[in-house]
């Protein structure tokens, strides 16, 4: 009977052949990546992947191995796509929610000057793109200084494998914009995002204009520029007006001049040292549990910059907390261990600098 060493010698021989074939395959893949780039084709070709799988499964004689081989092929092509994206620098893409010209786009451009950005329809799609590696970074708003937090983003931080690596405060100046040649007196209907209306509440009050919620400020601007109707206005930034060749009819119509939106940059990268870190935490639903957490933070000498509570969706009337602390996460091992012992769930969701 063969002993383990004999079997392992055989594995080594087969692995040696696989290594050569792997290199050969990846060199071919490199050629394909460059061909696709030159011809404006995207990396993923699902029909070709299906064909690769069915052709190769036909080559497997041992029925019991087919499902394993299918998994092997899928993984092999995932690696192939990852390699192609790395060669073509596609992973550098920055995902944002909305369309060109929206505030998220403006924040993204200020943070990543050279990136054209990749627009996604929803916040969840941005998180999904980042956690799957389709985009290297994502830019999403978390809070407006006037209208408050965007709760959904905190829920997504809990669900997806993404971390905050940077934050950015964008000053929001809302403006009434209209098509070329229109005047304030012509306006009958205004298009915007609900936040745009809320932030311009005082300016809009008593004017009797119909307010139409149109998804986001940039889509609203795009729409009025397409219909070209002097009676239709939109609320948005000066940049958005410029992008869609519109005129600013009234500047700075936001109710407060101190209107900022805080954006976060999310990534799958490992936590880096920083001057602020943030946690999501849930405790037992008992008296004094949250106080215990806060006392630990105080005992270790961390300044708490922010604490928010959000409902745990599948357990009515129970909450998780988002906590932001001043300090370097890399040096916070002892605190984190103590918090973990005293909580039901703990996730470090960000480390960044102010
Ligand atoms: O054939 C292609 O188009 C490739 O890019 C190669 C490959 C593969 O590794 O086999 C990788 C990605 C595509 O989705 C399909 C197949």
């Amino acid at each position: 009977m063969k002993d383990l060493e004999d079997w392992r010698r055989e594995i080594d021989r087969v692995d040696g052949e696989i290594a050569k074939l792997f290199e050969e395959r990846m060199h071919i893949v490199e050629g394909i990546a460059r061909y696709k780039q030159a011809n404006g084709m995207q990396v993923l070709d699902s029909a070709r992947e299906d064909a690769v799988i069915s052709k190769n499964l036909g080559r497997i004689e041992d029925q019991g191995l087919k499902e394993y081989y299918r998994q092997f092929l899928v993984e092999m092509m995932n690696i192939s796509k990852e390699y192609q994206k790395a060669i073509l620098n596609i992973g550098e893409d920055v995902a944002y929610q909305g369309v060109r010209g929206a505030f998220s786009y403006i924040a993204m451009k200020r943070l990543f000057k050279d990136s054209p950005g990749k627009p996604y329809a929803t916040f969840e799609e941005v998180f999904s793109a980042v956690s799957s590696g389709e985009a290297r970074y994502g830019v999403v708003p978390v809070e407006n200084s006037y209208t408050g937090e965007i709760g959904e983003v905190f829920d997504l931080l809990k669900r997806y494998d993404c971390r905050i690596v940077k934050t950015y405060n964008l000053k929001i100046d809302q403006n009434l914009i209209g098509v070329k040649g229109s005047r304030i007196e012509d306006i009958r209907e205004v298009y915007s995002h609900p936040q745009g209306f809320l932030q311009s509440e005082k300016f809009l009050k008593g004017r009797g204009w119909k307010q139409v919620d149109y998804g986001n400020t940039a889509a609203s601007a795009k729409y009025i520029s397409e219909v070209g109707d002097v009676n239709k206005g939109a609320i948005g930034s000066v940049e958005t007006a410029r992008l869609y060749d519109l005129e600013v009819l009234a500047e700075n119509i936001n109710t407060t001049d101190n209107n900022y939106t805080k954006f976060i940059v999310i990534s799958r990268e490992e936590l880096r040292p920083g001057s602020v870190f943030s946690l999501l935490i849930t405790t037992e639903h008992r008296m004094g549990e949250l106080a215990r957490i806060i006392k630990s933070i105080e005992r270790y000498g961390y300044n708490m910059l922010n604490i928010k509570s959000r409902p745990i969706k599948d357990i009515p009337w129970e909450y998780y907390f988002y906590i932001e602390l001043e300090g370097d996460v890399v040096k916070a091992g002892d605190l984190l261990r103590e918090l973990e012992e005293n909580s039901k769930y703990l996730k470090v969701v960000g480390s960044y600098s102010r």
Side-chain angles (χ1 to χ4, degrees), residues 25-26 28-29 32-33 36 41-50 52 73 76-81 84:
R25 192 181 200 283
M26 292 299 258
I28 299 170
V29 159
I32 291 186
K36 286 187 168 177
M41 295 162 73
Q42 60 172 18
V43 170
L44 173 69
D45 183 338
S46 305
R48 169 67 186 163
E49 291 196 9
D50 291 345
V52 169
L73 293 169
M76 180 178 76
M77 287 191 285
N78 283 342
I79 292 167
S80 154
K81 282 178 286 190
Q84 294 191 46

Side-chain angles (χ1 to χ4, degrees), residues 66-181:
K66 278 201 173 189
E67 175 50 26
Y68 295 100
Y69 194 55
R70 197 190 59 77
Q71 288 175 29
F72 177 82
L73 293 169
V74 167
E75 203 40 52
M76 180 178 76
M77 287 191 285
N78 283 342
I79 292 167
S80 154
K81 282 178 286 190
E82 217 171 280
Y83 184 53
Q84 294 191 46
K85 287 181 184 171
I87 294 170
L88 305 178
N89 263 338
I90 291 176
E92 290 298 330
D93 274 347
V94 186
Y96 65 95
Q97 183 270 336
V99 292
R100 266 185 92 212
F103 284 111
S104 294
Y105 171 84
I106 295 168
M108 184 282 296
K109 282 307 271 184
R110 300 237 177 122
L111 286 155
F112 298 91
K113 269 200 295 309
D114 300 325
S115 174
K118 268 184 152 183
Y120 289 86
T122 63
F123 294 139
E124 174 143 23
E125 283 171 51
V126 172
F127 274 81
S128 164
V130 173
S131 74
S132 70
E134 195 174 294
R136 180 144 180 200
Y137 298 107
V139 176
V140 285
V142 278
E143 188 165 358
N144 176 266
S145 56
Y146 188 63
T147 56
E149 74 195 41
I150 298 157
E152 186 192 345
V153 172
F154 294 94
D155 298 343
L156 291 166
L157 276 172
K158 188 160 179 277
R159 282 178 40 215
Y160 281 86
D161 183 23
C162 293
R163 283 158 286 280
I164 306 170
V165 294
K166 204 177 173 70
T167 62
Y168 179 72
N169 285 329
L170 179 72
K171 183 158 191 324
I172 304 291
D173 283 324
Q174 299 288 12
N175 304 269
L176 177 70
I177 53 192
V179 298
K180 289 242 158 82

Side-chain angles (χ1 to χ4, degrees), residues 116-323:
K118 268 184 152 183
Y120 289 86
T122 63
F123 294 139
E124 174 143 23
E125 283 171 51
V126 172
F127 274 81
S128 164
V130 173
S131 74
S132 70
E134 195 174 294
R136 180 144 180 200
Y137 298 107
V139 176
V140 285
V142 278
E143 188 165 358
N144 176 266
S145 56
Y146 188 63
T147 56
E149 74 195 41
I150 298 157
E152 186 192 345
V153 172
F154 294 94
D155 298 343
L156 291 166
L157 276 172
K158 188 160 179 277
R159 282 178 40 215
Y160 281 86
D161 183 23
C162 293
R163 283 158 286 280
I164 306 170
V165 294
K166 204 177 173 70
T167 62
Y168 179 72
N169 285 329
L170 179 72
K171 183 158 191 324
I172 304 291
D173 283 324
Q174 299 288 12
N175 304 269
L176 177 70
I177 53 192
V179 298
K180 289 242 158 82
S182 70
R183 296 158 311 156
I184 292 199
E185 302 81 73
D186 299 325
I187 300 299
R188 300 280 174 272
E189 278 180 9
V190 265
Y191 290 72
S192 194
H193 182 273
Q195 297 257 344
F197 293 129
L198 261 178
Q199 289 158 8
S200 319
E201 225 170 6
K202 212 161 138 195
F203 174 83
L204 294 170
K205 206 167 165 204
R207 291 186 188 266
W209 295 341
K210 187 174 162 201
Q211 296 179 12
V212 186
D213 170 4
Y214 204 74
N216 63 63
T217 50
S220 306
K222 185 164 182 266
Y223 170 71
I224 68 155
S225 78
E226 280 163 5
V227 292
D229 179 349
V230 293
N231 299 138
K232 288 184 170 49
I235 292 172
S237 71
V238 173
E239 276 114 319
T240 311
R242 221 177 284 137
L243 202 63
Y244 294 104
D245 208 20
L246 295 164
E247 261 175 39
V248 174
L249 308 183
E251 264 180 53
N252 276 336
I253 61 168
N254 21 287
T255 303
T256 154
D257 199 35
N258 264 333
N259 191 352
Y260 287 87
T261 295
K262 183 170 165 184
F263 286 85
I264 54 172
V265 179
I266 53 166
S267 153
R268 257 196 333 176
E269 286 168 11
E270 291 303 308
L271 289 172
R272 303 179 209 152
S275 61
V276 178
F277 60 103
S278 44
L279 320 166
L280 296 181
I281 196 160
T282 61
T283 60
E284 292 296 342
H285 207 7
R286 279 194 307 255
M287 192 174 77
E289 290 294 328
L290 180 61
R292 205 133 65 109
I293 298 291
I294 292 174
K295 274 191 199 124
S296 299
I297 292 171
E298 185 197 6
R299 194 154 18 83
Y300 280 94
Y302 286 90
N303 180 25
M304 195 191 289
L305 299 171
N306 199 339
I307 178 165
K308 295 180 194 306
S309 71
R310 289 280 308 155
I312 300 176
K313 293 220 167 3
D314 38 4
I315 316 175
W317 321 128
E318 289 204 16
Y319 300 85
Y320 74 83
F321 300 94
Y322 169 83
I323 298 178

Side-chain angles (χ1 to χ4, degrees), residues 17-36:
E17 285 176 40
I18 291 177
K20 268 196 241 116
L21 291 171
F22 175 78
E23 268 196 300
E24 190 181 339
R25 192 181 200 283
M26 292 299 258
H27 289 152
I28 299 170
V29 159
E30 180 172 353
I32 291 186
R34 305 225 180 272
Y35 177 91
K36 286 187 168 177

